[in-house]
Amino acid sequence: MNNKMREAFQKIDGGLFSSVSKADVGDAYDNMQKDGVRLMAWADPFYPDSSIPEHVKKATIKVIENGFSSHYTVPIGNMVLKQEISKKLLKYNGIKADPKRNILITPGSDSGLFYAMLPFVQNGDEIMIVDPSYPNNFQNTDILGGVIVRVPVYEENNFQLNINEFKKRLTDKTKMVVLTNPNNPTTTVYRRECLEQLRDFIVENDLILVVDQAFEMPVFDDIEMVTVAALEGMWERTLTVFSLSKGMGLSGYRVGYIVADDKIMDKLYAATVSVLGATNTAAQIGCIEAMKDDSFLEEYFKVHLERRDMVYNLLKDVPGIVVHKSESGFLSWINVSKLGSSQEIVDYLIKEAKVAVNIGEPYGLQGEGYIRIVHGVLGSTDDLRGCIEDIKKALTKLAYSKGYKGV
Ligand SMILES: Cc1ncc(COP(=O)(O)O)c(C=O)c1O
């Protein structure tokens, strides 16, 4: 059966018939949890706590009770939700989007990201992808028949974009740039000057940009979050993918949205029903309330900031590793290369600290030697402290055994 599949699918490792150890497929994590291992490799805020805002919960229950939830919403999305999103886009992203013409609701932003790339990527088109970044960027390109062109970002440059790295990889086959901003796993928020250089490069070379802004909130330390679609010249060539999963803690609602110019959106709207179908009705109604009254975000962001600081302060002096103060979201990206490969460190932490974190490789070639800790996943900040202290103890022990005693 395998050889009947698209080449890209033949290579994919996962599912019931393989021995994958990823959090999102297989039962390896369930088995680890039974063994007392704490899961910090799952970018789902406060999982599995009941952290849903009360008014969102009520609105969702109401639509279930009045029976409306068993019906479709039009595939392109609930108009009231799109109106609320349009207000948010103007206020937060500096984008003027017509709810009727420029916004498409998607079942989460993973499907949105794939759908945004789908109309454009085919037959050997070269797609520039920042490395490291979200694994789906690479896999989507592969599935669609594009050629992955990795554009590295480096720790020495705080993982910021360097436009020369794009320029030297440009060919007449380059079609698209895919950007995760803020980046997952590094949490880097790309600075305005880098993004303006990228804009010039994209416009000059008539490229398309897909930007995934799933992690646009929260951003820390007053760093400016620039939405590239709002930069002059970018609106007509940018598809921006958003999500309510990370920034509002509503991952299970499966609501995301794509924002694009009319000409692109016409095509997306036309094909939505046959590719994505409609997003869940009750979830969209709940999300309307979350967007109308988002006062719960203040506390939500505060917790993530406290956690960011706690993890950084606890781990920064562990010898032999480099911890980056996260600029956004709820992840920590740590260079452990002096202590071992990322797989070795992850295996070691499972045994020694009873904590499961992510290996760096799925995020790109630059991910080797790094681990990703999802410090937003645990429900309790005290439990988080316990996990991080255990990680600290384990890594310090390992560092000492390898002769690292100072920072
Ligand atoms: C960068 C990034 N984009 C998109 C997604 C997809 O999120 P969702 O489908 O829940 O909107 C994720 C989830 O981990 C992510 O990390």
Side-chain angles (χ1 to χ4, degrees):
M1 198 48 77
N2 206 41
N3 61 7
K4 293 189 192 302
M5 292 184 188
R6 282 166 171 272
E7 248 178 68
F9 264 83
Q10 292 183 24
K11 289 183 291 186
I12 294 173
D13 179 28
L16 298 175
F17 301 108
S18 84
S19 58
V20 285
S21 57
K22 293 197 291 185
D24 47 1
V25 278
D27 52 13
Y29 275 85
D30 288 346
N31 293 337
M32 274 188 229
Q33 278 182 304
K34 279 182 205 137
D35 244 6
V37 174
R38 294 153 294 175
L39 178 60
M40 300 189 75
W42 185 233
D44 186 348
F46 308 146
Y47 175 84
D49 278 30
S50 48
S51 55
I52 182 170
E54 203 51 37
H55 64 301
V56 178
K57 181 160 95 184
K58 275 198 185 130
T60 315
I61 291 172
K62 193 166 154 206
V63 75
I64 292 168
E65 281 178 348
N66 70 21
F68 195 61
S69 61
S70 64
H71 296 290
Y72 287 124
T73 303
V74 288
I76 61 174
N78 178 302
M79 185 49 74
V80 180
L81 177 58
K82 298 208 290 174
Q83 282 161 350
E84 290 305 317
I85 288 171
S86 151
K87 288 185 212 162
K88 172 262 174 188
L89 287 168
L90 191 60
K91 190 171 149 202
Y92 187 80
N93 305 95
I95 292 179
K96 220 170 159 208
D98 180 346
K100 285 203 182 114
R101 303 290 298 122
N102 306 121
I103 301 170
L104 168 67
I105 306 296
T106 58
S109 69
D110 271 334
S111 62
L113 182 58
F114 187 74
Y115 196 44
M117 296 173 71
L118 179 64
F120 299 99
V121 182
Q122 62 177 352
N123 304 338
D125 289 336
E126 293 182 6
I127 311 300
M128 292 183 158
I129 304 169
V130 173
D131 182 333
S133 72
Y134 190 46
N136 294 25
N137 299 336
F138 305 104
Q139 184 161 301
N140 290 347
T141 301
D142 212 12
I143 290 174
L144 292 171
V147 174
I148 297 165
V149 178
R150 296 171 187 274
V151 182
V153 286
Y154 298 109
E155 190 171 320
E156 304 80 81
N157 191 28
N158 287 325
F159 304 107
Q160 285 293 326
L161 305 176
N162 175 349
I163 199 62
N164 293 326
E165 299 289 348
F166 287 88
K167 286 183 179 163
K168 65 188 185 202
R169 290 171 173 82
L170 180 75
T171 74
D172 56 3
K173 293 209 178 79
T174 309
K175 185 180 261 184
M176 178 184 279
V177 174
V178 180
L179 195 68
T180 308
N181 185 33
N183 201 4
N184 170 6
T186 63
T187 77
T188 313
V189 181
Y190 295 121
R191 301 301 195 264
R192 179 175 283 276
E193 60 171 20
C194 297
L195 293 174
E196 286 178 348
Q197 288 172 349
L198 183 66
R199 180 264 317 269
D200 294 345
F201 171 78
I202 287 173
V203 172
E204 269 162 37
N205 296 294
D206 194 18
L207 307 178
I208 295 147
L209 176 68
V210 169
V211 192
D212 174 357
Q213 296 197 184
F215 273 102
E216 67 177 5
M217 289 184 229
V219 164
F220 306 122
D221 307 324
D222 294 325
I223 298 171
E224 183 190 19
M225 171 64 210
V226 176
T227 299
V228 191
L231 297 181
E232 203 188 327
M234 287 310 286
W235 171 249
E236 54 273 31
R237 54 177 72 248
T238 305
L239 295 94
T240 314
V241 181
F242 297 90
S243 173
L244 276 72
S245 295
K246 320 292 184 185
M248 289 194 141
L250 293 172
S251 49
Y253 271 60
R254 309 308 304 129
V255 176
Y257 50 101
I258 301 175
V259 176
D261 169 70
D262 305 28
K263 290 200 185 70
I264 300 171
M265 199 50 98
D266 267 349
K267 302 287 185 186
L268 294 182
Y269 277 178
T272 299
V273 69
S274 60
V275 182
L276 298 179
T279 300
N280 181 290
T281 296
Q284 290 188 69
I285 304 275
C287 288
I288 292 172
E289 296 312 309
M291 301 217 60
K292 275 190 180 161
D293 174 6
D294 64 2
S295 50
F296 65 97
L297 291 180
E298 198 182 323
E299 176 63 20
Y300 179 70
F301 293 168
K302 200 173 127 224
V303 172
H304 286 314
L305 178 62
E306 277 166 17
R307 289 179 176 209
R308 187 279 304 250
D309 289 343
M310 180 213 288
V311 174
Y312 179 73
N313 288 328
L314 280 172
L315 295 183
K316 72 180 181 350
D317 294 330
V318 172
I321 67 168
V322 184
V323 187
H324 295 273
K325 200 172 204 178
S326 305
E327 295 186 345
S328 64
F330 44 78
L331 315 169
S332 294
W333 184 238
I334 300 176
N335 184 340
V336 291
S337 57
K338 284 187 181 160
L339 302 185
S341 72
S342 53
Q343 186 68 61
E344 281 164 0
I345 300 302
V346 167
D347 292 344
Y348 169 76
L349 288 176
I350 290 170
K351 264 208 195 117
E352 186 73 22
K354 293 255 175 211
V355 172
V357 302
N358 298 104
I359 55 168
E361 285 85 343
Y363 302 91
L365 299 178
Q366 304 299 320
E368 168 53 45
Y370 288 82
I371 57 168
R372 190 189 77 155
I373 300 178
V374 183
H375 58 248
V377 62
L378 298 173
S380 140
T381 301
D382 284 341
D383 289 349
L384 172 69
R385 181 183 293 279
C387 288
I388 301 297
E389 275 169 355
D390 290 346
I391 291 174
K392 177 178 177 170
K393 214 156 85 193
L395 289 179
T396 305
K397 182 172 158 191
L398 185 64
Y400 276 39
S401 77
K402 292 188 181 253
Y404 292 102
K405 299 239 168 358
V407 182

